[in-house]
Amino acid sequence: MSFLDRWLPAWILLAMGVGLLLGRLVPGLNTALEAMTIGQVSLPIAVGLLVMMYPVLAKVRYDETRRVTGDKRLLGLSLVLNWVVGPALMFVLAWVFLPDLPEYRTGLIIVGLARCIAMVLIWNDLACGDRESAAVLVAINSVFQVVAFGALGWFYLQVLPSWLGLPTTTAEFSVGAIVGSVLVFLGIPLLAGFLTRVLGERAKGRDWYEEKFLPAIGPWALYGLLFTIVMLFALQGDAITSQPLDVVRIALPLLVYFALMFVIGLFASKAVGLDYGKSATVAFTASGNNFELAIAVAISTFGVTSGQALAGVVGPLIEVPVLIGLVYVALWAGQRVFPNDPSVPTDRTRETAS
C-alpha cells in the first residue's frame, strides 16, 4: 500500500481535528463558508467531492458496464437493500433510540431516505470492490432518488406512523434539491470520468491510460476526501462541540445503522452467489447515504438551525470514520468470507488499485 493509504485513518482523524479547530478558532469562518452556496449546494464541499470522485470514475471501464446491467441478482438485491431495507431500518432505529426527540428522529429518517450517490465510490475503491458495478448502482440510485425520495418521505413520516398510532410529521421535499444533488454530485464527475477514459484511450491507448495516467491522478481522490472532511467539520464544528450530548444520541442509531447495513449487504450478496468484488460494492452502496441531499432537504424544509438539520449534519460526521473502518473490515473479511475467490484483494492488487 502507498504511504497515504497505509496511514489513511490517521489522516482522516487529523482532518476531522483540523476542521473542528478551524470552526471553533477562526472567527466568522462558518458564516463565510455557509455563504458560498449556489441554491442549497455548498461550493467548498462540492469542490471536495468532485475532486474526490473524478479519479474514481475515471478508473471505471465503461465498456464493461454491460455485464453489470445483465446481473439481475446484483441489481435486484441492491434495489431491495437501498429502497426497502435501508429506509425501513433507519425508521425503526430512529424511533427506538429517539422516541422523545421528534426533530432529530425526523432528521435521521430523512438521512435514511437519501441513498448514496457520491462518497460510496471511494469507499468501494479503497475496499477493491467492483468499480463498474459501483458506477451502475450509483446511477440507478440517482434515478430512484429523483423518483422515490418524496414518496418515501411521505410514507415514513406520515402514512406509516399514522398506521402505527405514532405522531406524524408534515414535510414537503424540494424536487429541485434532489435533482440538483444528483446532477452536481454524480452528473459532473461521471461525465468528466467517462470523457477522460474515452479520449485518453483513443489518444494514447488503454495501457498508457491505466499504467501512466490513472496512477498520476489516483491520489487526488484521497486529497479530495480529506479536504471535504475538513470543510464538513469546519462548517459544523460549533454545533458539534456546543451540543455534545445531542450529537451522541444522534450518533448511536447511525452507528448501528451503518454496521447493520454493511453486514446485511455483504452476507446477503454472498448468499445469492455474488463474488467478493460485487458483494463489497453492494454492501457499501447499501451502507452509505447522500448526506448533501439530506442536509439540503432538512435545511430547506425545517430551517438551518433546526434539529432535523443537525441530525443531517451528524450523519456524514459519523459515516466517514465508520465507513473507513468498514473498508478495513471488508479487506479483512475477504479471505475469510470468500475463500478461493479470485476477486478478493491481495497486497499486490491493493497496490495496483491505489
Side-chain angles (χ1 to χ4, degrees):
M1 296 177 70
S2 68
F3 178 75
L4 183 62
D5 288 337
R6 187 179 301 114
W7 294 95
L8 183 58
W11 306 138
I12 286 179
L13 290 174
L14 180 61
M16 295 164 78
V18 169
L20 283 174
L21 287 174
L22 289 174
R24 291 289 293 178
L25 300 180
V26 179
L29 178 63
N30 293 21
T31 303
L33 291 175
E34 289 172 357
M36 290 188 283
T37 60
I38 297 179
Q40 296 294 333
V41 177
S42 167
L43 290 182
I45 292 176
V47 168
L49 286 173
L50 294 178
V51 171
M52 178 189 75
M53 291 175 63
Y54 166 68
V56 178
L57 287 168
K59 293 178 181 179
V60 174
R61 292 180 173 179
Y62 292 92
D63 57 350
E64 295 184 11
T65 55
R66 290 183 181 179
R67 67 174 171 81
V68 179
T69 57
D71 192 333
K72 294 181 180 179
R73 296 171 303 169
L74 174 76
L75 299 181
L77 179 61
S78 179
L79 287 174
V80 170
L81 288 173
N82 273 286
W83 298 100
V84 179
V85 177
L89 177 61
M90 188 68 90
F91 175 85
V92 172
L93 292 174
W95 275 98
V96 168
F97 282 88
L98 302 169
D100 57 329
L101 297 171
E103 289 190 356
Y104 297 155
R105 186 176 64 236
T106 298
L108 281 186
I109 292 171
I110 292 173
V111 170
L113 299 179
R115 311 313 300 168
C116 196
I117 64 170
M119 200 171 281
V120 67
L121 293 169
I122 197 165
W123 309 136
N124 179 73
D125 212 49
L126 289 170
C128 297
D130 190 295
R131 289 174 183 147
E132 289 70 39
S133 295
V136 171
L137 294 183
V138 163
I140 291 174
N141 270 351
S142 70
V143 173
F144 269 78
Q145 201 131 227
V146 173
V147 175
F149 188 94
L152 287 174
W154 169 72
F155 177 76
Y156 280 106
L157 294 177
Q158 297 185 45
V159 176
L160 185 56
S162 179
W163 288 351
L164 298 175
L166 300 171
T168 61
T169 301
T170 301
E172 296 182 3
F173 301 122
S174 168
V175 176
I178 299 169
V179 173
S181 174
V182 170
L183 290 178
V184 171
F185 298 115
L186 177 62
I188 293 174
L190 181 61
L191 179 61
F194 174 76
L195 290 177
T196 302
R197 164 73 72 169
V198 171
L199 297 177
E201 288 190 358
R202 186 177 299 169
K204 296 280 191 174
R206 174 162 288 188
D207 288 343
W208 173 87
Y209 183 83
E210 295 191 345
E211 295 174 11
K212 300 293 184 181
F213 180 73
L214 290 182
I217 66 169
W220 283 93
L222 298 184
Y223 300 153
L225 171 64
L226 296 176
F227 175 81
T228 302
I229 293 170
V230 171
M231 290 297 100
L232 278 171
F233 277 75
L235 274 166
Q236 304 300 334
D238 187 61
I240 296 166
T241 54
S242 62
Q243 303 180 67
L245 294 180
D246 287 353
V247 170
V248 170
R249 289 203 60 182
I250 296 168
L252 289 175
L254 286 168
L255 286 169
V256 176
Y257 171 83
F258 293 133
L260 280 179
M261 287 302 296
F262 179 83
V263 171
I264 292 169
L266 192 69
F267 284 94
S269 300
K270 178 177 171 59
V272 300
L274 299 181
D275 63 13
Y276 168 83
K278 290 183 177 179
S279 296
T281 299
V282 169
F284 280 108
T285 52
S287 304
N289 293 85
N290 185 353
F291 63 82
E292 268 294 315
L293 174 60
I295 294 171
V297 168
I299 290 174
S300 62
T301 305
F302 301 102
V304 69
T305 60
S306 66
Q308 292 89 341
L310 178 61
V313 166
V314 173
L317 305 184
I318 301 303
E319 178 178 339
V320 169
V322 170
L323 264 68
I324 191 61
L326 290 174
V327 167
Y328 289 90
V329 170
L331 294 170
W332 174 85
Q335 295 284 356
R336 296 162 178 81
V337 180
F338 299 85
N340 305 316
D341 185 335
S343 71
V344 174
T346 63
D347 290 342
R348 173 172 288 186
T349 58
R350 289 170 64 185
E351 182 68 32
T352 303
S354 299

